[in-house]
Amino acid sequence: MELIFLGTGAGVPSKGRNVTAIALTMLNERNSIWLFDCGEATQHQILRSSIRLSKLEKIFITHLHGDHIFGLPGLLSSRSFQGGDTALTVYGPMGIANYIRTSLVVSGTHLKYPLEIVEIDGEVVFEDADFKVICRELDHGILSYGYRIEEADKPGALDAAGLSALGVKPGPIFKELKEGKTITLENGIVVDGSQFIGPAKKGRIISIFGDTRATESELVIANQADVIVHEATFGLEMGDMAGEYMHSTTVEAANLAKKAEAKRLIITHISSRYSREDNSELVSECREIFPNTEIATDFAIFEL
């Protein structure tokens, strides 16, 4: 699983940062890619990455400001031309369906794949046997969500050495024991598979935030996450402006990660007032509070 940052700027693109789009690649887990937000020129950014639109399964939109959605109609259209024929689902706040459908109708765009649009109504956005996505409303003046992606726990490893000592040979029996079944061997020994399975491997938790001011509701999304992706539009010295424009500072993102007892923080959505040379200062402000902090740049890849 990897996070690929396709755009890490705020509001308007700059020479060094495009506007927001983050890909979560899950090729080993489900042979697909999820996209979080789709700012203008996201499809151009994808051309410079390893991402294939045909693998795109779901798009989660945090809110309807232009720097998070203006790339969506073009990307949906291009997916048809690039061989995408599997179903795609877009999740987002109320109004996302009207925006997408109007854009496609007015431009005369016909998609060659099934498109489902889900306007969020409730805390659980998506759930299957492997992943659960929940959301919580943030504080940005417009309806803006944070998403928490919870991976299901994986069964523990089978104690093959212990079974071999009992005379159990690898094969179909191992599969049954891995499922926790009890079997009787030819020599009469009864083997309880659950006794030969190690502790479950805890699933990963990824928290991805839309634009927001610091708010207590963020803790629900961030609690004990393996990684938090949070906006840090402004540095410490711009706290008043951050509050006025309903954004977060570096230290607010870091304080959230610390309070949430998260393992890792990645800051993004950096104002165009900051150049690449300012990155070290911005990340240092976070590390004063939460040491395991990194700053995202366009095309940066973080392995999870």
Side-chain angles (χ1 to χ4, degrees), residues 18-298:
N18 199 55
V19 286
T20 300
I22 305 165
L24 175 61
T25 67
M26 297 183 287
L27 300 179
N28 292 331
E29 292 77 10
R30 59 194 297 132
N31 194 32
S32 68
I33 296 170
W34 291 0
L35 186 67
F36 291 81
D37 286 333
C38 189
E40 183 181 354
T42 292
Q43 63 173 315
H44 290 273
Q45 299 289 89
I46 286 175
L47 291 175
R48 298 173 60 189
S49 76
S50 60
I51 294 169
R52 292 167 53 194
L53 285 180
S54 60
K55 294 290 186 182
L56 189 58
E57 178 193 12
K58 299 182 182 299
I59 301 174
F60 297 86
I61 299 298
T62 61
H63 64 291
L64 302 185
H65 278 156
D67 58 315
H68 294 255
I69 64 169
F70 281 170
L72 194 50
L75 181 142
L76 295 176
S77 177
S78 293
R79 187 172 184 265
S80 281
F81 292 111
Q82 295 181 20
D85 57 8
T86 56
L88 174 65
T89 306
V90 179
Y91 303 86
M94 189 71 66
I96 189 63
N98 185 44
Y99 170 70
I100 292 173
R101 289 171 182 149
T102 299
S103 299
L104 297 179
V105 169
V106 170
S107 63
T109 301
H110 173 69
L111 304 182
K112 299 177 182 177
Y113 57 86
L115 175 66
E116 181 183 10
I117 306 170
V118 178
E119 295 192 328
I120 295 170
D121 181 20
E123 188 173 286
V124 178
V125 180
F126 167 78
E127 185 173 13
D128 65 8
D130 301 312
F131 288 91
K132 180 179 181 180
V133 181
I134 66 171
C135 71
R136 185 57 65 97
E137 185 175 341
L138 305 175
D139 181 14
H140 189 50
I142 184 175
L143 184 57
S144 181
Y145 289 114
Y147 292 106
R148 179 182 175 93
I149 303 96
E150 300 177 349
E151 182 183 28
D153 293 346
K154 296 289 190 296
L158 191 66
D159 180 8
L163 291 171
S164 295
L166 292 177
V168 183
K169 296 180 180 179
I173 291 178
F174 268 37
K175 181 177 183 298
E176 293 184 54
L177 293 171
K178 176 74 171 176
E179 294 170 352
K181 296 179 180 179
T182 298
I183 65 168
T184 303
L185 303 179
E186 293 179 0
N187 58 12
I189 295 177
V190 177
V191 181
D192 180 358
S194 65
Q195 300 301 309
F196 291 85
I197 299 175
K201 182 181 178 182
K202 186 169 176 54
R204 290 159 287 190
I205 298 173
I206 303 154
S207 302
I208 299 179
F209 285 86
D211 294 359
T212 184
R213 286 190 291 204
T215 172
E216 287 299 315
S217 66
E218 290 187 285
L219 276 173
V220 176
I221 298 299
N223 186 45
Q224 296 188 328
D226 290 276
V227 60
I228 294 173
V229 178
H230 200 285
E231 69 129 304
T233 307
F234 298 102
L236 171 63
E237 82 289 351
M238 304 293 291
D240 289 343
M241 181 173 287
E244 180 182 352
Y245 287 96
M246 298 186 177
H247 281 292
S248 297
T249 64
T250 49
V251 296
E252 286 170 335
N255 278 321
L256 171 66
K258 181 179 180 179
K259 191 180 297 185
E261 299 181 345
K263 294 179 181 177
R264 186 180 186 187
L265 170 65
I266 303 172
I267 57 171
T268 186
H269 201 271
I270 310 299
S271 169
S272 58
R273 73 181 61 245
Y274 300 108
S275 68
R276 185 174 291 269
E277 288 69 36
D278 296 314
N279 285 354
S280 59
E281 177 62 27
L282 294 173
V283 79
S284 291
E285 291 178 356
C286 291
R287 288 176 178 169
E288 288 286 328
I289 299 165
F290 188 79
N292 194 16
T293 300
E294 298 159 279
I295 188 168
T297 54
D298 285 17

Side-chain angles (χ1 to χ4, degrees), residues 6-18:
L6 299 167
T8 58
V12 295
S14 66
K15 290 182 178 180
R17 296 181 183 273
N18 199 55

